[in-house]
Amino acid sequence: MEIVASFAPQSVSDPLARLAAPPVGTTMVELRADLFPEEFPLQQAVEACRLPVVLTLRSRAEGGQGPSSPVDRERFFRQTVAWPVALFDLEAERDLELLGKLVPKEKAIVSRHLEDTPGDIEQLMASLLGLGTRYAKLVTRAWSLTDVLAVLRLADALARGANGQRRGVVFAQGEQGVATRLMGPLLAAPLAYASWGPGRGVAPGQLSPEELLALVGHLQGRPKRIYAVLSDRAHLSLSPRMHAAGFRALGLPYAFVPLSVGSVAELELLLRPLGEGPLDAVGLPTGGFAVTMPWKEHACACCTLLAPRAQRARAVNTVLPRVGKVVGDLTDVDGLNRVFLEAGLALPGARVAVLGTGGAARAALVALHLAGARAVLVGRDPAKVEKLAREFHAVASSIQELGAVGAFINATPAGASGVPDPLLEQLDLPEGCLVVDLPYGEGPTFLETLAAERGWDYVSGREVLLYQGLSQFAAMNGIAPPVRAMAAALGLGEVQA
């Protein structure tokens, strides 16, 4: 797989020096000429690159900042055609007259970039391939699971069709299209477009070279099995990175991707018995799903066989397609039990508070019940708190009237981004109290900041994710998980197997 890192000089000091030292894992550099200032010495940028260069002048009509006028575009390519460039990106809607006359076909990527995913992408790709260029590139925008599946279906068709040289590059932009950026290069043409680094993307949904390698760098082609994390913002989940590290350590040719789910109908479409799901239909055998907020309760309803703890909670975070059935489990229970064990807190008889009324809170209440703890439930909606507390024989309370507790579990997304949360700010816990966050973010969560300020013992959501993920990995793959590799993928230090 070639990793093409896209470069634009905005807010970069000494861009020529940056170009001479591309991100680790990069094998080609795309210079987005449309994002360079007019006065910038673009030829020097080309010459500064130590890797093969793809030169792109993306027009405003296709999401860039470059000219759409054929006259202006021809002038640009006439000025640059003799430069030491490996490939020129020509837009099919504007630059075809230059193909073969000014730019040789073997040095051209002919491309189209769309703002949605139309129903005729197979025909669009066929017309691009028919131009005979080195690569044909079709980029759509994914707004739904249907769009993602359409792009994966096209990638599968390219892999199986009369495309021996794998010339078709296909993926979808946007947060919902991340899975296509991972699978496209493994099925169709092996070109993966990447950002120059975290926060340096020039297109929505772009991953960095490091992220691409962490997620699919262990694969040489089509995965033998695919797993996915299902959420409304799945691209933020660390589950794919954690599980991919486990696959790499054990030499398993599997993939784990983020799939954003926007409705119950999309969830029901995915959670089908073995071999009957939409990923199976596009040549990607489905091994299982990790389910996170807000779909844990809805996913439970899709399962035809439940582990007792999942049945008690009426929520699942692990779904396993099996022949003729869909199995659901709740490994969040294992994650919580393990962090309490590691913290040295004896749960039998302990009074533990849980914030939340969703699927994560249900998992916490089941874990506490099974361990013999006394659960106290708090939340933003008193009516929901009362109802859930009755269901799980917990005490309904409020943040203001919480009283003495041995531990506190945040089973909501509150504070994940580090932004102050008014409800969490009202917490009045004794010094040394154990606080467990289920959410996590790129930086410290708000609860982590509070814990440091107020002297509480803090357990991060990444630790809970790891320990539930170890059980999940074993259930999905039938093999012991490589603990240290999966912990390292989450940025955690030494952990006990």
Side-chain angles (χ1 to χ4, degrees):
M1 179 173 67
E2 300 277 4
I3 295 182
V4 186
S6 302
F7 182 84
Q10 293 101 321
S11 304
V12 173
S13 60
D14 199 355
L16 296 181
R18 292 289 186 93
L19 284 169
V24 174
T26 303
T27 56
M28 300 183 76
V29 172
E30 180 191 38
L31 293 181
R32 283 289 302 270
D34 56 298
L35 301 180
F36 279 71
E38 288 186 13
E39 67 277 7
F40 194 93
L42 187 58
Q43 185 171 358
Q44 291 183 31
V46 172
E47 294 169 348
C49 294
R50 299 178 180 178
L51 297 172
V53 171
V54 178
L55 190 59
T56 299
L57 185 69
R58 184 71 57 235
S59 68
R60 287 182 176 82
E62 299 204 9
Q65 297 296 319
S68 298
S69 161
V71 174
D72 293 335
R73 296 182 65 81
E74 180 176 353
R75 181 183 304 113
F76 171 81
F77 285 110
R78 284 196 179 278
Q79 291 172 348
T80 60
V81 70
W83 294 358
V85 170
L87 293 166
F88 293 89
D89 187 308
L90 301 182
E91 294 182 356
E93 295 291 284
R94 287 156 201 89
D95 304 324
L96 284 191
E97 290 189 5
L98 310 180
L99 187 60
K101 298 178 181 179
L102 183 61
V103 178
K105 290 186 177 183
E106 62 271 15
K107 294 188 67 174
I109 301 172
V110 63
S111 67
R112 286 196 65 179
H113 293 71
L114 309 175
E115 281 301 309
D116 55 12
T117 302
D120 62 345
I121 58 173
E122 291 86 356
Q123 291 84 354
L124 292 175
M125 176 58 85
S127 66
L128 294 177
L129 288 170
L131 296 171
T133 53
R134 178 66 184 88
Y135 291 108
K137 179 185 176 190
L138 179 61
V139 181
T140 71
R141 180 68 183 255
W143 299 102
S144 67
L145 178 63
T146 299
D147 293 340
V148 170
L149 294 173
V151 173
L152 292 177
R153 188 177 303 112
L154 174 56
D156 177 57
L158 290 170
R160 298 179 186 276
N163 183 26
Q165 295 181 349
R166 294 177 69 190
R167 295 187 297 114
V169 180
V170 59
F171 60 86
Q173 297 188 82
E175 295 173 350
Q176 291 176 307
V178 171
T180 68
R181 287 184 178 273
L182 296 169
M183 290 297 100
L186 298 176
L187 301 177
L191 263 65
Y193 281 78
S195 68
W196 201 255
R200 299 289 306 162
V202 300
Q206 247 184 357
L207 302 169
S208 70
E210 186 275 334
E211 290 171 315
L212 282 168
L213 290 173
L215 294 173
V216 295
H218 61 291
L219 296 170
Q220 301 302 314
R222 181 189 299 269
K224 299 294 185 183
R225 193 181 296 171
I226 191 168
Y227 300 85
V229 58
L230 309 181
S231 173
D232 57 348
R233 302 197 71 194
H235 66 288
L236 299 177
S237 173
L238 291 176
S239 285
R241 176 180 284 262
M242 175 181 65
H243 283 273
F247 299 154
R248 182 182 301 104
L250 298 179
L252 299 174
Y254 304 155
F256 207 112
V257 301
L259 284 179
S260 290
V261 174
S263 67
V264 173
E266 289 187 345
L267 187 71
E268 292 174 343
L269 178 66
L270 287 166
L271 303 186
R272 304 287 300 158
L274 187 67
E276 299 180 19
L279 294 174
D280 298 284
V282 297
L284 296 169
T286 306
F289 299 97
V291 183
T292 186
M293 291 184 259
W295 299 119
K296 294 183 179 186
E297 294 167 84
H298 294 288
C300 182
C302 296
C303 295
T304 58
L305 181 63
L306 292 170
R309 57 190 181 180
Q311 189 172 23
R312 176 69 182 91
R314 291 197 289 116
V316 300
N317 77 319
T318 302
V319 177
L320 307 173
R322 295 294 183 259
V323 176
K325 58 191 173 186
V326 180
V327 179
D329 197 2
L330 189 60
T331 63
D332 287 335
V333 172
D334 298 326
L336 285 165
N337 284 338
R338 183 60 183 269
V339 296
F340 283 123
L341 177 65
E342 294 295 326
L345 179 66
L347 284 176
R351 193 168 186 267
V352 179
V354 177
L355 171 64
T357 55
R362 288 175 167 274
L365 291 169
V366 168
L368 295 173
H369 173 74
L370 293 175
R374 295 178 295 145
V376 182
L377 188 65
V378 298
R380 301 177 194 278
D381 186 329
K384 289 183 178 180
V385 169
E386 287 283 352
K387 182 179 179 181
L388 192 61
R390 285 196 301 271
E391 181 180 345
F392 286 91
H393 306 292
V395 174
S397 186
S398 66
I399 288 284
Q400 299 84 358
E401 301 173 350
L402 191 55
V405 294
F408 174 86
I409 302 171
N410 176 24
T412 76
S417 64
V419 175
D421 180 85
L423 193 62
L424 291 177
E425 282 184 326
Q426 297 178 55
L427 275 175
D428 184 16
L429 304 173
E431 187 173 349
C433 183
L434 183 69
V435 293
V436 179
D437 235 347
L438 297 192
Y440 54 83
E442 293 183 2
T445 67
F446 180 59
L447 185 58
E448 183 175 1
T449 301
L450 280 181
E453 293 174 352
R454 301 182 183 182
W456 305 330
D457 293 335
Y458 178 79
V459 175
S460 75
R462 294 183 185 223
E463 294 175 70
V464 182
L465 174 65
L466 170 65
Y467 289 121
Q468 72 80 18
L470 296 177
S471 293
Q472 192 173 69
F473 188 97
M476 288 177 167
N477 301 289
I479 190 171
V483 179
R484 289 178 176 82
M486 294 172 70
L490 298 177
L492 301 175
E494 285 296 316
V495 297
Q496 296 296 317

